Amino acid sequence: MPEAKITQGNSPEPVAGPMSGFLPVVADWFGKHVGIPTAPQVAAWPRIQRGENVLIHSPTGTGKTFAAFLWAINDLVARPPVARSGRSGRSARSGVRVLYVSPLKALNNDIERNLSVPLAGIAEAAGEMARAIRTAVRTGDTTPSARAAMVRNPPDILITTPESLYLILTSPKARDILRTVETVIIDEIHTVSDNKRGTHLALSLERLERLSPGFQRIGLSATQRPVEEVARFLGGQDVSSDGDSLKIVPRPVSIVDVDYEKEIIVNVFGMPEAASASPASSIWPNLIPRVLKDVLQHDTTLIFANSRRQAERTADRLNAQLQIEDAADLGKELGVDPDSFSGGLFGTGHGDGPFRAHHASISEEQRRQMERDLKRGDLPALIGTSSLELGIDIGSIDLVVQLQSPGSVTQGLQRIGRSGHSVGAASVGKIYATHQEDLFECAQVARGITERDVEEVKIPRNALDVLSQQVIAAVSVEQWTVRDLYALVRSAYPYEGLEESSFESVLRLVSGKYPSRLARSLRARVYWDEINGTLDALPGARLLALSNPGAIVDRGLFGVYLPDRKTRIGELDEEYVFESKEGDAFLLGSQVWRVREIDDDRVIVEPAPGAMPRMPFWRGEHRWRSFALSKKLADFRAELARQMAPHVDDDDDPADVAAWLRSDYRLDEAGARQLIGYVRRQLRSTGTISSSDTIIVETYTDPIGDRRMIVQSPFGGRVNAPWSIALASALKDRTGVEPEVQVGDDGILFRFPEAPEGPPEGPPEGQRKNCRSTSSHP
């Protein structure tokens, strides 16, 4: 990228210091409105100015976004957009020069708002040419008319998602606006690099490289390890022919890894004593008052739940708690036992309070309004899911409350980092456990957060399903030779080691070489001329590519609309809709709605304040605990059992063990006492607990007479799920009955409804190593 010449106004002298190289008008604006550059900015700007690919790794709130964007803005001011004459004779722009990609639509809208401030300020000082710089957002929520306008008159800065980038690249007209791209910024890169969504994005970036060769790549993240692996993902590699083989050279990426010790204060709280004393009772009537107290003691609080249903439930309970003294009074007022509704089937109907649920199934307009209200201080708190954990600007947050374990250290660090989201401010978080196994996990997450021990990124390799989609999309807009397309695929880091035979197997799939009678979806989408080695699109290929963008699984959602059939409220899971009927009341966005009509793809609703609502659910929300966290958790359980072994028969809690739990695992006194008591009871009953070196198998008969077997394995669902398949097959062979299986992060439950004799009481002799069996109820 050409270096900007600094001859602005009456300041011909170059800017010195950390802002060296910037136009004076840009440096002056930054100094007046932002202040002193942060360490990541000082380290990144010289590299970005030299045109290097850069990966910036620094904590939340250290100015990564400005580090990435400011030089691009500076370059747009120094080299203003060049107008061209459109088909209508009107002025039109040459194309997009800066492309920003983030995994969240909400983050995109936030970036656009935040860019308007420096652009307006710099334009006021720089004059007419700077005022010509335009931004635009292109996501799934962008209207067709706005998309068409972008093609006719492209913005200078385009803000989009991985899926929308793919759609632009697959549109013959829209893709032309990307031929001028000079800089691509990928925000929150850690959220996509370790999954197939990132694999899909990596191929899209290589397709973009073909349109605009040599563009600069900038990646941003607060939580990623190892940074070298993420840098390889960001840069990809150059691939060229070397005789009959391909020569692969990784593109260089400069790593700005700022060891910025941002203070994080995190504490884990055990279950309320009243709830933990009775396993059958719900914890929520005892937990919600504690959360409300936290909110009232702080100016602005962010509350994270692990599912949309839990977010709705929490907002509903907090609104109710503001109006009544305790859960018992709530039960009397509603005429039901409080324990009967606290499990989440019904809401309270108190939808007129200040607490709101923010999640992906709420309409974009409502989410943005909530974010603005929180930033202005009109809301005391906001209850969100992963939709709020990334870099959305929601103002100053005093406290983050996490309900249950976030499932990984990376996610916990990202969420708690939302508080104190400014340079030099401490991040403060509270994690509330809701049951004993959850308390173990919360403690391990807290230790990982304090030690910054985030999980390593594992980049998926050679995903052929993603490759099939991108092959059809690429061929649908232009002819390819097999060799050129194979070289492009190998340019993406996830496909660095893709064998040519595997690539050709994908070509056979999409060109109909497999029998279409097996499935209609196997019919040919691409014509493969094996004599000339070319690939051409068949009719319907582009439509198929455009109608199936990205790697996000289609969950089958129904839109929720007001009676005008235009105003969108949100969306519901199709299974929940199938279980609903006209007249039912439900909670969505902390508001009560009544179903007026159910169409083929939407639900028509009207407000129903005061009605007793059902709590909606969304399938597919649960994510398995990371294997890295599961392994550390298993080690933690083993170490706690070892320390408790000498105290099994003691009535008092060992002070040294309690102190260790409080200092190293950030547990409060109640939490430490509950873990000690839990381990002591397990050791007294079985002599061990499930851990890194022990798996416990328990068999028992449930109240209706069915035999059950529980395999206590703390290695997480990623291990337990495939293991359960093998165990179920072995148990069927031994008992002659197909068991019903439920899999969790901490174990596997087998139920034998048709086998009076049930499963074997224990493993055969000679297989008892590292295994315990008991007939007691778990």
Side-chain angles (χ1 to χ4, degrees), residues 31-62:
K32 291 177 181 178
H33 295 87
V34 180
I36 300 174
T38 63
Q41 292 166 349
V42 172
W45 280 335
R47 294 169 171 82
I48 294 174
Q49 290 176 20
R50 291 194 294 267
E52 299 174 12
N53 298 322
V54 179
L55 175 64
I56 304 175
H57 179 221
S58 67
T60 300
T62 54

Side-chain angles (χ1 to χ4, degrees), residues 485-498:
L485 187 55
Y486 179 54
L488 179 138
V489 171
R490 292 285 299 276
S491 298
Y493 182 57
Y495 295 94
E496 178 190 32
L498 181 70

Side-chain angles (χ1 to χ4, degrees), residues 32-321:
K32 291 177 181 178
H33 295 87
V34 180
I36 300 174
T38 63
Q41 292 166 349
V42 172
W45 280 335
R47 294 169 171 82
I48 294 174
Q49 290 176 20
R50 291 194 294 267
E52 299 174 12
N53 298 322
V54 179
L55 175 64
I56 304 175
H57 179 221
S58 67
T60 300
T62 54
K64 294 187 296 296
T65 303
F66 263 128
F69 264 113
L70 198 62
W71 180 254
I73 294 174
N74 183 90
D75 195 56
L76 286 170
V77 175
R79 298 188 297 118
V82 179
R84 59 179 172 81
S85 178
R87 291 183 179 179
S88 63
R90 293 177 296 181
S91 176
R93 293 167 185 272
S94 59
V96 174
R97 287 169 58 183
V98 180
L99 180 67
Y100 171 91
V101 182
S102 89
L104 270 185
K105 290 187 289 186
L107 186 56
N108 288 341
N109 295 319
D110 189 62
I111 288 293
E112 184 187 33
R113 290 195 300 269
N114 291 343
L115 279 179
S116 65
V117 176
L119 288 175
I122 294 170
E124 185 177 353
E128 185 65 30
M129 295 309 293
R131 280 195 288 273
I133 300 173
R134 292 173 56 251
T135 65
V137 175
R138 169 63 160 86
T139 68
D141 296 325
T142 306
T143 63
S145 60
R147 297 175 194 171
M150 290 180 202
V151 175
R152 292 192 303 269
N153 197 13
D156 304 292
I157 302 174
L158 179 62
I159 302 165
T160 189
T161 62
E163 291 71 33
S164 290
L165 172 60
Y166 162 86
L167 291 173
I168 296 172
L169 290 168
T170 311
S171 171
K173 292 183 179 180
R175 68 200 302 260
D176 285 340
I177 71 174
L178 300 179
R179 295 184 184 276
T180 52
V181 168
E182 299 171 348
T183 303
V184 174
I185 301 170
I186 304 177
D187 206 350
E188 308 291 354
I189 191 172
H190 69 279
T191 65
V192 295
S193 59
D194 67 345
N195 53 59
K196 287 186 178 181
R197 195 179 180 200
T199 302
H200 193 275
L201 174 60
L203 286 172
S204 292
L205 290 176
E206 297 310 320
R207 292 175 63 193
L208 178 61
E209 184 76 28
R210 180 178 171 90
L211 285 178
S212 181
F215 62 82
Q216 183 180 33
R217 307 177 185 215
I218 302 174
L220 310 176
S221 180
T223 50
Q224 55 193 16
R225 186 170 67 90
V227 291
E228 295 79 11
E229 184 76 354
V230 180
R232 287 296 315 276
F233 171 84
L234 173 66
Q237 47 264 334
D238 289 320
V239 179
S240 58
S241 295
D242 186 12
D244 294 334
S245 60
L246 295 177
K247 181 181 180 181
I248 297 178
V249 180
R251 299 187 186 105
V253 177
S254 297
I255 299 174
V256 176
D257 190 7
V258 178
D259 190 12
Y260 205 109
E261 278 301 318
K262 182 179 178 69
E263 183 182 7
I264 297 180
I265 303 170
V266 57
N267 291 288
V268 178
F269 295 85
M271 292 76 70
E273 298 293 344
S276 61
S278 175
S281 64
S282 171
I283 194 174
W284 297 101
N286 298 283
L287 176 57
I288 290 300
R290 299 172 68 179
V291 176
L292 180 60
K293 184 178 179 181
D294 290 334
V295 173
L296 297 178
Q297 290 176 345
H298 295 82
D299 291 333
T300 311
T301 304
L302 203 55
I303 302 170
F304 280 103
N306 291 335
S307 67
R308 285 167 281 188
R309 180 172 187 161
Q310 190 182 80
E312 293 281 1
R313 177 198 301 170
T314 302
D316 181 56
R317 294 286 177 263
L318 286 169
N319 284 324
Q321 193 66 32

